[in-house]
């Protein structure tokens, strides 16, 4: 549960092969067993819980802080206060999860699992925000705060330079709304869920925009009533008669009626149905009206910008990917291809374009050969440099030429990469970029597995001996591979006769040494087996 989930699309975006995932799991178990991987089952389930928790917090907490202030409204432990308590306690548990969960460093393409680095990063800011905003307010309000404590407003205490318990309680309850800073985290969790279930990006965009707009109206309806309450208290006799709350006679109404009236006023101002400012309004009302009008303009600009982005997404690479995939499915149905081939085609398409559609030929034409070679050197350069036979004999410019002639191919699971039955015609060298392939003898006995960054076939590539052994190579999982053809290698290396002779001599010397070592191992095995057989016969 705490380790990497190999079935998650998020894991596939970061670790493109099963081998890379297994190495990540091994690293996690060996060195950081006490931490939670950010792409694990446990973290996904907890993020789903936190999506519901944050959604309730963003709706319930501002209403609780602003509209439930009378003693008879918070003195009784109702279902609403139990809900607030549950939200606060889950957020406290979330602190424990966050301080033990690793994080993905996108710039380095690396998952940090060190508990010390995780804790240092979290304690810098978010730990204090989570801790302060997750204090269980209903417990204090039911067992500590006396009645009529909130009759002393927070701002009034500051103006008069007096200290009352109600001032402290007002400020403490306001601090709980700091959970709004977790809105980006909430949207990121929602995005992770959408990606896991492969829901389209335009649906995610619409959901995010709708959430932000609805929360803006809800929070503004709370803030517009919170400001006069903080500035003037909750005693109707002490409230300025010019305040809109007095004109609407809200102080004697039920909390839900106060909220509905404030929401209606908010909708009018944010939607700019009317933005006239009464000369007889209080200073707090004027400031809030100006703020609401500005926020309304900002929301309109935000909606227009997001609408343009939404339209662009409709014609984006992701949409093109789904359109091309739909056309591929139509082609498969038209040709009546068998189910196994149907599955292989879709699997290859999904892996090849990685859920994005791009016009690769046009990109290659624009970037040119120079940039394409630079990309090849960045990806395949370390692979060829790992071949000691090349590193010992060939200069950098020859290796660069070989690299530019390597063929990039994707092989699905159980695909035959190299066929030993073709003999010298299949004397190609294989470089595994990502994935895992298996090496078999010509009689299909499994020898070894090659994983990310490994290679095979340099002796078959260099030597022309008809007695040299050829192997079958099969992909165990979807693998990205560079293949260097023997004909291409000969064509390039023939331009350098001295180098050609040197690499052939060194390859022959090493190959003969490997054959001799193999014979010695076989003889030793036979000798040991014969000794065991004679010993058993002696004791019998």
């Amino acid at each position: 549960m705490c380790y990497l989930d190999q079935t998650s699309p998020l894991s596939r975006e970061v670790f493109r092969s099963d081998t890379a995932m297994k190495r990540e799991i091994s690293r996690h178990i060996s060195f950081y067993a006490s931490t939670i991987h950010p792409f694990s089952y446990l973290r996904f389930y907890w993020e789903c819980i936190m999506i519901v928790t944050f959604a309730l917090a963003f709706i319930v907490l501002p209403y609780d802080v602003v509209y439930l202030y009378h003693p008879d409204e918070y003195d009784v432990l109702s279902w609403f206060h139990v809900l607030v308590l549950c939200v606060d306690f889950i957020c406290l548990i979330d602190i424990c999860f966050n301080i033990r969960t690793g994080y993905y460093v996108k710039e380095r393409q690396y998952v940090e699992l060190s508990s010390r680095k995780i804790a240092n990063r979290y304690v810098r800011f978010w730990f204090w925000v989570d801790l302060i905003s997750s204090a269980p307010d209903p417990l204090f309000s039911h067992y500590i705060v006396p009645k009529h404590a909130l009759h002393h407003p927070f701002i009034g205490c500051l103006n008069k330079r007096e200290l009352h318990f109600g001032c402290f309680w007002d400020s403490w309850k306001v601090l709980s709304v700091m959970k709004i800073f977790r809105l980006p985290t909430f949207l990121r969790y929602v995005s992770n869920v959408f990606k896991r279930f492969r829901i389209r990006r335009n649906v995610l965009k619409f959901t995010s925009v709708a959430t932000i707009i609805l929360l803006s109206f809800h929070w503004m309806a709370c803030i517009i009533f919170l400001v006069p309450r903080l500035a003037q208290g909750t005693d109707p006799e002490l409230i300025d008669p010019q305040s809109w709350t007095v004109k609407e006679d809200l102080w004697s109404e039920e909390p839900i009626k106060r909220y509905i009236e404030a929401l209606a006023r908010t909708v009018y101002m944010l939607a700019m149905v009317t933005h006239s400012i009464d000369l007889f309004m209080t200073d707090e009302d004027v400031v809030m009206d100006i703020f609401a009008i500005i926020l309304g303009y900002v929301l309109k600009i935000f909606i227009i910008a997001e609408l343009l982005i939404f339209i662009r997404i409709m014609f984006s690479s992701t949409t093109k990917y789904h359109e091309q995939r739909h056309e591929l499915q139509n082609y498969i149905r038209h040709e009546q291809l068998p189910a196994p081939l149907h599955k292989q085609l879709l699997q290859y398409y999904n892996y090849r374009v990685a859920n994005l559609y791009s016009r690769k030929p046009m990109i290659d034409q624009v970037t040119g050969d120079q940039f394409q070679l630079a990309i090849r050197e960045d990806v395949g350069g370390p692979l060829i440099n790992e071949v000691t036979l090349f590193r010992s004999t060939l200069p950098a410019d020859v290796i660069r030429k070989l690299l530019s002639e390597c063929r990039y191919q994707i092989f699905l699971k159980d695909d035959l990469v190299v066929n030993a039955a073709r003999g010298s015609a299949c004397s190609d060298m294989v470089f595994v970029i990502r994935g895992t392939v298996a090496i078999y003898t010509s009689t299909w006995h499994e020898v070894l597995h090659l994983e990310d960054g490994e290679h095979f076939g340099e002796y078959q590539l260099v030597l022309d001996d008809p007695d040299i052994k050829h192997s079958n190579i099969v992909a165990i999982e979807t693998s990205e591979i560079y293949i260097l053809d023997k004909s291409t290698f000969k064509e390039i290396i023939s331009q350098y006769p001295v180098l050609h002779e040197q690499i052939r001599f060194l390859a022959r010397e090493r190959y003969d040494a490997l054959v001799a070592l193999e014979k010695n191992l076989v003889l030793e095995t036979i000798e040991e087996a014969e000794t065991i057989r004679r010993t058993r016969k002696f004791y019998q």
Side-chain angles (χ1 to χ4, degrees):
M1 291 289 287
C2 297
Y3 304 127
L4 178 69
D5 175 16
Q6 300 185 57
T7 62
S8 171
L10 295 173
S11 302
R12 284 288 175 184
E13 288 183 5
V14 179
F15 308 99
R16 296 294 300 275
S17 67
D18 291 344
T19 301
M21 290 186 183
K22 291 174 183 176
R23 288 178 179 175
E24 179 67 11
I25 293 173
S26 177
R27 181 176 74 96
H28 190 178
I29 295 173
S30 302
F31 302 104
Y32 310 106
S34 61
T35 59
I36 303 172
H37 201 282
F39 304 131
S40 62
Y41 274 116
L42 180 61
R43 186 63 197 180
F44 170 71
Y45 293 143
W46 183 251
E47 286 181 2
C48 292
I49 295 174
M50 289 310 300
I51 288 174
V52 178
T53 304
F54 281 141
L56 290 173
F58 296 150
I59 296 172
V60 170
L61 287 179
Y63 182 85
D64 173 59
V65 170
V66 175
Y67 292 100
L68 303 182
Y69 55 84
H70 283 310
D72 56 343
E73 293 168 353
Y74 61 76
D75 189 53
V76 179
L77 189 63
S78 63
W79 66 268
F80 187 86
H81 294 105
V82 172
L83 182 61
V84 174
L85 268 176
C86 292
V87 168
D88 287 334
F89 278 120
I90 292 176
C91 289
L92 287 174
I93 297 174
D94 183 56
I95 295 175
C96 302
F97 266 88
N98 290 337
I99 209 166
R100 302 303 301 175
T101 302
Y103 58 92
Y104 176 58
V105 184
K106 191 173 182 179
E107 294 77 13
R108 297 166 50 198
Q109 296 183 345
Y110 176 77
V111 176
E112 183 58 68
L113 295 173
S114 171
S115 56
R116 180 177 60 82
K117 293 182 179 180
I118 295 170
N120 290 340
R121 180 174 180 262
Y122 185 49
V123 169
R124 289 175 190 172
F125 179 72
W126 288 113
F127 171 78
W128 306 107
V129 174
D130 293 347
L131 184 63
I132 294 172
S133 63
S134 301
D137 300 332
L139 291 181
F140 293 99
S141 63
H142 285 82
Y143 300 108
I144 298 178
V145 179
K147 293 184 178 182
H148 306 293
L150 294 181
H151 286 177
H152 300 282
F154 175 63
I155 297 179
C157 291
L158 293 181
N159 291 335
K160 297 177 183 179
R161 297 183 181 179
E162 297 176 354
L163 182 61
H164 297 281
F165 191 81
C167 303
F168 167 76
W169 179 243
D170 236 4
S171 60
W172 180 263
K173 285 181 70 69
V174 171
L175 286 176
S176 65
V177 301
M178 289 177 64
K179 283 190 179 69
I180 193 62
F181 289 117
R182 302 309 302 270
L183 180 59
T185 303
F186 168 74
L187 295 177
R188 189 177 76 249
Y189 289 170
V190 172
S191 175
N192 290 342
V193 172
F194 275 54
K195 288 180 180 178
R196 186 180 183 90
F197 293 106
R198 300 186 184 278
I199 300 176
R200 288 195 176 190
R201 186 184 168 194
N202 51 3
V203 180
L204 171 62
K205 195 66 177 176
F206 177 81
T207 305
S208 302
V209 173
T211 301
I212 293 173
I213 294 174
L214 292 176
L215 287 179
S216 299
F217 278 90
H218 174 65
W219 277 71
M220 190 62 194
C222 296
I223 293 173
I224 204 172
F225 190 82
L226 176 65
V227 170
R229 189 193 138 201
L230 289 177
Q232 303 184 36
T234 59
D235 189 353
E237 297 180 358
L238 301 179
I239 302 298
D240 191 333
Q242 301 297 331
S243 174
W244 72 275
T245 58
V246 175
K247 294 178 181 179
E248 302 293 342
D249 194 21
L250 297 182
W251 301 100
S252 59
E253 297 287 350
E254 294 292 327
I256 188 63
K257 292 183 179 180
R258 291 195 290 265
Y259 171 75
I260 293 174
E261 185 64 34
L263 181 61
R265 183 179 177 87
T266 300
V267 171
Y268 265 84
M269 289 189 296
L270 291 185
M272 287 174 286
V273 176
T274 177
H275 52 271
S276 59
I277 297 178
D278 192 347
L279 296 176
F280 300 101
M281 296 169 64
T282 63
D283 293 340
E284 296 83 16
D285 294 343
V286 172
V287 171
M288 286 309 303
D289 281 11
I290 294 174
F291 177 75
I293 292 169
I294 295 174
L295 181 60
Y297 279 107
V298 172
L299 273 179
K300 279 193 173 182
I301 296 172
F302 172 75
I303 293 173
I304 294 173
E306 291 298 326
L307 181 61
L308 294 175
I309 295 174
F310 185 80
I311 294 173
R312 189 182 67 180
I313 290 175
M314 295 297 293
F315 300 97
S316 66
S317 57
T318 306
T319 305
K320 291 287 186 182
Y321 157 77
H322 287 288
E323 291 177 358
Q324 296 289 334
R325 195 176 191 275
H326 182 68
E327 291 182 9
L328 179 60
Q329 288 176 321
N330 289 337
Y331 170 78
I332 291 172
R333 282 193 293 268
H334 180 268
E335 297 295 330
Q336 298 182 353
L337 299 180
L341 185 57
H342 180 180
K343 183 178 179 181
Q344 276 190 314
L345 278 173
L346 292 180
Q347 183 181 357
Y348 179 85
Y349 179 76
N350 291 337
Y351 189 91
R352 182 67 181 86
V353 299
N355 293 345
L356 293 172
Y357 174 79
S358 61
R359 299 173 63 181
K360 189 176 184 303
M362 184 191 70
I363 295 174
D364 293 343
Q365 183 179 1
V366 172
T367 54
D369 295 337
Q370 180 180 356
F371 289 102
Q372 292 300 316
L373 182 58
I375 294 172
R376 279 286 182 92
E377 288 181 357
D378 183 68
V379 176
L383 300 177
I384 288 190
N385 289 330
E386 286 296 319
V387 184
T388 56
L389 186 63
F390 291 169
R391 192 172 63 242
S392 304
T393 56
L394 302 181
D397 58 333
V398 178
I399 292 179
R400 193 176 295 112
K401 287 183 179 180
L402 294 176
L403 184 60
S404 64
E405 296 298 330
C406 287
R407 289 187 291 110
Y408 172 81
Q409 283 189 249
I410 295 176
F411 292 91
L412 302 180
K413 183 179 179 181
D414 297 330
D415 281 355
L416 187 62
V417 181
V418 176
N419 188 358
R422 295 173 56 197
S424 60
C426 67
S427 300
D428 301 331
M429 187 171 181
V430 172
F431 300 90
V432 182
I433 305 173
R434 295 184 186 90
T436 307
V437 299
I439 308 298
Y440 294 86
T441 63
S442 57
T443 56
W444 291 100
H445 293 292
E446 187 172 346
V447 179
L448 57 89
H449 287 182
L450 299 180
E451 298 179 345
D452 298 3
E454 296 181 332
H455 61 271
F456 183 82
E458 59 267 39
Y459 299 114
Q460 289 84 347
L461 181 75
V462 174
L463 300 176
D464 296 324
D465 192 341
D467 297 329
I468 198 168
K469 296 180 180 179
H470 296 279
S471 303
N472 294 303
I473 303 179
V474 179
I476 293 180
E477 60 171 324
T478 303
S479 305
E480 300 177 46
I481 293 175
Y482 274 150
I483 297 179
L484 181 59
D485 296 331
K486 188 179 184 72
S487 59
T488 304
F489 175 79
K490 281 187 174 182
E491 182 180 348
I492 294 175
I493 203 68
S494 61
Q495 303 173 16
Y496 308 91
V498 177
L499 292 178
H500 192 188
E501 191 61 32
Q502 289 179 354
I503 195 171
R504 285 181 60 187
F505 176 78
L506 185 59
R508 170 55 64 184
E509 182 180 349
R510 293 185 179 182
Y511 182 75
D512 291 341
L514 288 174
V515 171
L517 179 62
E518 183 180 357
K519 288 182 179 179
N520 291 334
L521 289 174
V522 171
L523 291 175
E524 289 178 5
T525 305
I526 293 174
E527 184 177 353
E528 291 176 1
E530 183 67 17
T531 303
I532 293 172
R533 187 182 67 81
R534 289 176 179 176
T535 303
R536 287 178 179 176
K537 186 175 180 181
F538 174 78
Y539 283 107
Q540 288 176 355

